[in-house]
Amino acid sequence: MSNPTLRNLPGCKEKDFNSWPIQDINDMDGTLSLQQYIQQAIHEDPSNISKLLTLPESQDEIVWKYEHLRQFTMELGRFVVLLDGICNANTCPLMK
């Protein structure tokens, strides 16, 4: 199977953003394949926790955990940006 080019074309609509075909982890290559797999699983169905946390066969458990921590950090960063300007000492007194 050939790897499709995974890019969002300039001017693509929001509904088409990141809507490329689902790939099996064994068809992915490169240093970011686990990160790509995790992000793909989140995009496909964020409520499927079992799939998100199940270590794929032939993958290193330490790298798998590292990639999850990295993904969590990226998601947390997005959340903090969303709170900027909304939560402050007046609106969220516990977040001084």
Side-chain angles (χ1 to χ4, degrees):
M1 178 178 174
S2 65
N3 288 336
T5 301
L6 306 178
R7 279 193 195 112
N8 295 307
L9 298 176
C12 74
K13 297 188 184 317
E14 183 179 359
K15 69 177 181 65
D16 298 327
F17 200 74
N18 294 342
S19 63
W20 39 74
I22 302 299
Q23 282 185 285
D24 185 80
I25 186 124
N26 298 317
D27 295 335
M28 298 177 188
D29 60 355
T31 57
L32 300 176
S33 60
L34 276 177
Q35 178 187 15
Q36 179 183 344
Y37 177 80
I38 292 169
Q39 290 176 354
Q40 173 181 276
I42 292 169
H43 184 73
E44 182 182 11
D45 183 5
S47 66
N48 190 348
I49 303 301
S50 177
K51 180 176 181 176
L52 291 172
L53 298 180
T54 302
L55 175 68
E57 289 184 32
S58 74
Q59 299 299 321
D60 185 283
E61 183 178 359
I62 300 298
V63 176
W64 178 248
K65 289 177 181 179
Y66 169 79
E67 288 299 338
H68 272 284
L69 286 172
R70 193 160 74 128
Q71 182 66 34
F72 176 77
T73 303
M74 290 188 303
E75 297 288 338
L76 185 60
R78 290 183 192 123
F79 181 65
V80 169
V81 168
L82 288 173
L83 292 178
D84 186 40
I86 296 172
C87 288
N88 56 45
N90 295 328
T91 61
C92 303
L94 295 177
M95 296 181 67
K96 297 178 187 176

